[in-house]
C-alpha cells in the first residue's frame, strides 16, 4: 500500500493539529483510521473528527499568533471550496477569484472603518481625513454603515458581479480559455481601479488598522479566537454544503457539462445555467472568505486580490487536487502555510518553489496530491482530456 | 484638434506595442491553442538581451540592430525549449497550459530578479530615436514611430512566412488538421516547435522595442500580457488581420478613455467593452469557419 505518501504532505503542511481530515469518499487516508465503520458513517465520522480538531483542539494547542495565521489559511481554504466546485467539478478555470475575495473583503472593511469612525465620533474614516477627501463620505460608502447591509453585500455583491459576467459569457458560449482570460482581466482591472481611487479606497495601502468588529475589540486575543472559530465553522459548513452539492443531481450535471457540454445540451439541459450556478456559488464563497479575512488578518489591499493572488487561489487547489474537495482545501491551506513560512525566510526560493509546484502539479499530476495513490499504484490518472480526476474514477 | 491628434497618436503607439506582443501570441495561442503565460517573460528576455548587449557594444544604434536578431534567437530558443520540455505534453489540455506556463513565468521572473536585480534598468536609445518630429502640430516621438513601423514590418513578415513559404504551409496544415498533416508526411512535432520558436522570437523582438519607451524590469512582460491576450481574444483566434485591427482599436480606445477619465477607469471601461463585444461576436472579430459545434 502506498497510503504513506499522502499523509506526510498533509501533516507536514498544516502544522500541529491543524488539518481537518474530513471529507468525501475520494479522500483515501482518513478511512484507514476508521476501518470498522460502515461505509455510510465514514464520511460523517471523518467530518466530525475534522470539526473537533479544527474547532476544539486547535485553539487549545496553538498560540494566539499561530491561531491567527491558521485563521488566515482557513480563509484561503474557503476560497478553495469554491475553486473545487467551479474548476474541479465544473471545469471553469476561475482565474479571477481575487475579484470576489476583494469585493467581500472591501465590503467588510468599509463597514469596519465606518464603525470605527462612528465609535470615535469622526465623520470620515481616518485615511479619508488623511487624503483630504472632498465632499464628505462618498455616496457608495454610505450604505455600508449599516451592518446588515454590509454583511449581506460581502456575499451578494460578488455573486451579483459573477452572475453578470457569467450570464454574458456562458450564454454566448464563450469558451474555456476565453473565460479564463476574461476573468483574469477582471482581476487586473479591479486591482488597477482600486489603486487609482486613492482617496476613497485607500489606494495601494488598502484598508487597514481596524479597531472593532461588531462591537468587539479586535486587538483583544480572546476576540481574535472568536474570529478564528467563526472562520473554522464557516469552512466546515461550506465543505458540508459543497459535498451535498457534489453528490446531488446538480453535481452530476456539472461534471457532465465539464466532460461533454454538447451532450448535456442535446439532453435538454442548458449548460450555461449549470455553469452559472457553480461560478456564482464559488464567487459567494470567495466573497465570504474575503469578509472573514479582514477581521482575522486586519488588512485588505489591491496586492491581495490582483492577478497574482487570483492565480494563487488556484494553486492550492491544483496542488491538493482540484476535483477532490478535501484535497483542494488542504492544498490551499498547505500552500498558504508554505508561502508565509518560506517567503519570509527565503523569498527567492519560495517563488521558484511556487513555480515548480505549479508545473509539477498541473503538468504531471493533474489530479493533485489527492490522486497520488491512484497514480503510484500504476494506474494512469484517469481522463487526461479533462485534466481532472472524475468523481467515479477517484472513488 | 491638436489634442485629439496627439491622443490618437498615443493610441496608435499603444496599439503598435500591443500588436507586437500579440503577434507572437496569435501564433502560439491562436494557431496552436496554447495559452502561454510565459510569453511575457520572453518579452522580458528580449528586453534584457538589449541591456546585456549594450554594455560591450557601446554604440546604442548598433546594439539595437544587433539586439533585434539576438533577442529573436534568445527568446525563440527559450520558447522552443519550453515547448519541448512541457507544452508538447499538454496539447490536449489547453487550460492546463495556462497554469503550467504561469509557473514557468514565475520562475523566469525570479531568475531575472536574481541575475539582474529587482530594480528596473534603463538602456540608452540611439540618438536618432530620442528626438521627435512635428507634423501638423502633432508631436511624434521618433521611438514610437520606429515601433509602429517595426510592428507593421513584423506583421508583413509573419504574413509572408505563413502564406508563401513551405514552413508556413506546413504550419497552416498542422493547424487545420493535425492528423491529416501527420499522415501526409509532415513532422507535426517539429512544426509545433518551429511555430513556438517563431512566436516566442517575436516576443523577444517586442521586448527590444519596449526598451525604447521606458525602463525594463522583471515584471516588464507581465504588465502587457493580459492586454495582449485580450487583443488575441477579440481579434479572433489565429487571425493576423483581427489582431492588427483589434490592437489599434484597443490602443486608441485606451488612450481616448485615459484622456477623458483616468487610467484605471479606462481599463475597466475597455474590459466592459470587450465583454460587450463578445456578446456580438463570441468567437472574435475574424473567425475560421468550421462546421464544429460551439
Amino acid at each position: 500500500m502506498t497510503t504513506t505518501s499522502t499523509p506526510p504532505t498533509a501533516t507536514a503542511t498544516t502544522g500541529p493539529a491543524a488539518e481537518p481530515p474530513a471529507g468525501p469518499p475520494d479522500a483515501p487516508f482518513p478511512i484507514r483510521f476508521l476501518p470498522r465503520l460502515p461505509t455510510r458513517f465514514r464520511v460523517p465520522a471523518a467530518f466530525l473528527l475534522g470539526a473537533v480538531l479544527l474547532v476544539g483542539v486547535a485553539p487549545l494547542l496553538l498560540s494566539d499568533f499561530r491561531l491567527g495565521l491558521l485563521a488566515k489559511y482557513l480563509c484561503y481554504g474557503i476560497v478553495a471550496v469554491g475553486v473545487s466546485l467551479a474548476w474541479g467539478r465544473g471545469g471553469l478555470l476561475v482565474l479571477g477569484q481575487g475579484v470576489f475575495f476583494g469585493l467581500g473583503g472591501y465590503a467588510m472593511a468599509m463597514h469596519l472603518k465606518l464603525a470605527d469612525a462612528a465609535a470615535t465620533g469622526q465623520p470620515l474614516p481616518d485615511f479619508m481625513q488623511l487624503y483630504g477627501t472632498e465632499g464628505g463620505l462618498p455616496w457608495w460608502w454610505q450604505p455600508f454603515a449599516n451592518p446588515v447591509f454590509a454583511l449581506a453585500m460581502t456575499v451578494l455583491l460578488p455573486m451579483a458581479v459573477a452572475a453578470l459576467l457569467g450570464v454574458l459569457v456562458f450564454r454566448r458560449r464563450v469558451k474555456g480559455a476565453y473565460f479564463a482570460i476574461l476573468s483574469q482581466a477582471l482581476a487586473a482591472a479591479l486591482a488597477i481601479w482600486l489603486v487609482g481611487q486613492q482617496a476613497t479606497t485607500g489606494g495601494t495601502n488598502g484598508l487597514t488598522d481596524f479597531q472593532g468588529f461588531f462591537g468587539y475589540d479586535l486587538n483583544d486575543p480572546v476576540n481574535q479566537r472568536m474570529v478564528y472559530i467563526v472562520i473554522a465553522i464557516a469552512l466546515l459548513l461550506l465543505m458540508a454544503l459543497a459535498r451535498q452539492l457534489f453528490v446531488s443531481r446538480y453535481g452530476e450535471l456539472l461534471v457532465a457539462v465539464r466532460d461533454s457540454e454538447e451532450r448535456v445540451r442535446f439532453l435538454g439541459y442548458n449548460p450555461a445555467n449549470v455553469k452559472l450556478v457553480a461560478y456564482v456559488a464559488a464567487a459567494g464563497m470567495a466573497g465570504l472568505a474575503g469578509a472573514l479575512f479582514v477581521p482575522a488578518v486586519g488588512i485588505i489591499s489591491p496586492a491581495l486580490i490582483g492577478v497574482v493572488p487570483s492565480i494563487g487561489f488556484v494553486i492550492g487547489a491544483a496542488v491538493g487536487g482540484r476535483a477532490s474537495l478535501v484535497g483542494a482545501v488542504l492544498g490551499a491551506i498547505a500552500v498558504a502555510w508554505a508561502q508565509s513560512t518560506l517567503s519570509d525566510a527565503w523569498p527567492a526560493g519560495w517563488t521558484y518553489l511556487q513555480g515548480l509546484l505549479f508545473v509539477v502539479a498541473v503538468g504531471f499530476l493533474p489530479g493533485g496530491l489527492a490522486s497520488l495513490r491512484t497514480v503510484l499504484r500504476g494506474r494512469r490518472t484517469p481522463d487526461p482530456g479533462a485534466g481532472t480526476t472524475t468523481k467515479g474514477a477517484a472513488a | 484638434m491638436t489634442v485629439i491628434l496627439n491622443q490618437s497618436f498615443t493610441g496608435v503607439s499603444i496599439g503598435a506595442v500591443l500588436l507586437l506582443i500579440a503577434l507572437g501570441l496569435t501564433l502560439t495561442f491562436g494557431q496552436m491553442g496554447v495559452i502561454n503565460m510565459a510569453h511575457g517573460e520572453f518579452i522580458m528576455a528580449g528586453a534584457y538581451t538589449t541591456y546585456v548587449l549594450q554594455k560591450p557594444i557601446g554604440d546604442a544604434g548598433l546594439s539595437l540592430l544587433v539586439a533585434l536578431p539576438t533577442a529573436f534567437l534568445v527568446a525563440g530558443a527559450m520558447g522552443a525549449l519550453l515547448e519541448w520540455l512541457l507544452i508538447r505534453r499538454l496539447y490536449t489540455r489547453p487550460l492546463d497550459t495556462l497554469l503550467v506556463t504561469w509557473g514557468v513565468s514565475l520562475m523566469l521572473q525570479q531568475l531575472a530578479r536574481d541575475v539582474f536585480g529587482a530594480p528596473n534598468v534603463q538602456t540608452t536609445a540611439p540618438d536618432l530615436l530620442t528626438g521627435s518630429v512635428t507634423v501638423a502640430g502633432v508631436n511624434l516621438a521618433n521611438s514610437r514611430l520606429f515601433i509602429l513601423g517595426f510592428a507593421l514590418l513584423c506583421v508583413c513578415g509573419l504574413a509572408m512566412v505563413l502564406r508563401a513559404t513551405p514552413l508556413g504551409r506546413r504550419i497552416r496544415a498542422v493547424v487545420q488538421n493535425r492528423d491529416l498533416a501527420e499522415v501526409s508526411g509532415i513532422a507535426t512535432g517539429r512544426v509545433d516547435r518551429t511555430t513556438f520558436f517563431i512566436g516566442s522570437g517575436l516576443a523577444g523582438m517586442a521586448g527590444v522595442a519596449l526598451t525604447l519607451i521606458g525602463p525594463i524590469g522583471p515584471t516588464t512582460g507581465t504588465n502587457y500580457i493580459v492586454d495582449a491576450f485580450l487583443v488575441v481574444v477579440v481579434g479572433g483566434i489565429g487571425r493576423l488581420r483581427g489582431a492588427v485591427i483589434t490592437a489599434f482599436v484597443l490602443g486608441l480606445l485606451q488612450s481616448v478613455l485615459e484622456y477623458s477619465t483616468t487610467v484605471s477607469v479606462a481599463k475597466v471601461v475597455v474590459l466592459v467593452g470587450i465583454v460587450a463585444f463578445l456578446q456580438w461576436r463570441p468567437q472574435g472579430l475574424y473567425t475560421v469557419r468550421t462546421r464544429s459545434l460551439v
Side-chain angles (χ1 to χ4, degrees), chain B residues 2 25 59 74 77-78 85 93 153 179 242 250 253 263 279 282:
Chain B
T2 331
L25 279 183
D59 179 57
V74 168
M78 287 168 72
L85 281 176
R93 297 161 24 197
L153 198 72
D179 295 337
L250 283 189
L253 200 62
V263 180
Q279 298 303 299

Side-chain angles (χ1 to χ4, degrees), chain A residues 87 95 168 172 175 177-178 181-182 184-186 192-193 311 322 348 351-352 354-355 358 362-363 366 384, chain B residues 35 37 86 89 93 96 98-100 102-103 106-107 110-111 114 229 233 237 264 267 271 275 278-279 282 294:
Chain A
W87 184 38
L95 286 186
L168 292 177
R172 293 300 293 168
K175 276 191 293 181
Y178 280 28
I181 290 167
L182 281 178
Q184 189 177 33
L186 188 67
I192 292 171
W193 183 79
I311 299 183
R322 61 183 93 160
T351 315
Y352 286 124
Q354 196 183 17
F358 233 45
V362 180
Chain B
I35 309 168
M37 293 298 282
L86 292 173
R89 299 165 211 278
R93 297 161 24 197
D96 286 353
L98 192 160
L99 298 168
V100 167
W102 193 74
L106 266 185
M107 290 191 272
Q110 188 57 42
L111 192 68
D114 286 349
F229 267 119
V233 166
I237 290 241
S264 50
K267 282 266 179 213
L271 182 68
V275 174
L278 288 176
Q279 298 303 299
V294 178

Side-chain angles (χ1 to χ4, degrees), chain A residues 87 91-93 95 165 167-169 171-178 180-182 184-190 192-197 262 265-266 307-308 311-312 314-315 318 322 347-349 351-356 358-359 361-366 384-388, chain B residues 29 33 35 37 85-86 89-90 92-104 106-115 222 225-227 229-230 232-237 262-265 267-269 271-272 274-276 278-284 287 292-294:
Chain A
W87 184 38
L92 302 165
L93 183 46
L95 286 186
L165 184 70
V167 165
L168 292 177
V169 168
R171 284 273 149 88
R172 293 300 293 168
R173 304 186 197 171
V174 172
K175 276 191 293 181
Y178 280 28
I181 290 167
L182 281 178
Q184 189 177 33
L186 188 67
L190 180 70
I192 292 171
W193 183 79
L194 284 171
V195 171
Q197 311 296 309
E262 288 307 325
R265 180 172 291 124
F266 292 153
V307 172
V308 175
I311 299 183
V314 173
I315 290 195
R322 61 183 93 160
T351 315
Y352 286 124
L353 185 68
Q354 196 183 17
L356 201 65
F358 233 45
V359 171
V362 180
F364 298 98
L365 197 64
T388 44
Chain B
F29 177 41
I35 309 168
M37 293 298 282
L85 281 176
L86 292 173
R89 299 165 211 278
L90 299 170
T92 51
R93 297 161 24 197
L95 275 185
D96 286 353
T97 60
L98 192 160
L99 298 168
V100 167
T101 52
W102 193 74
V104 174
L106 266 185
M107 290 191 272
L108 288 177
Q109 269 182 39
Q110 188 57 42
L111 192 68
R113 230 171 262 136
D114 286 349
V115 174
T222 323
I225 193 78
V226 176
D227 286 343
F229 267 119
L230 289 178
V232 180
V233 166
V234 174
I237 290 241
T262 62
V263 180
S264 50
V265 174
K267 282 266 179 213
V268 178
V269 175
L271 182 68
V272 171
I274 287 171
V275 174
L278 288 176
Q279 298 303 299
W280 175 50
R281 292 189 83 99
Q283 309 298 320
T287 48
S292 76
L293 298 159
V294 178

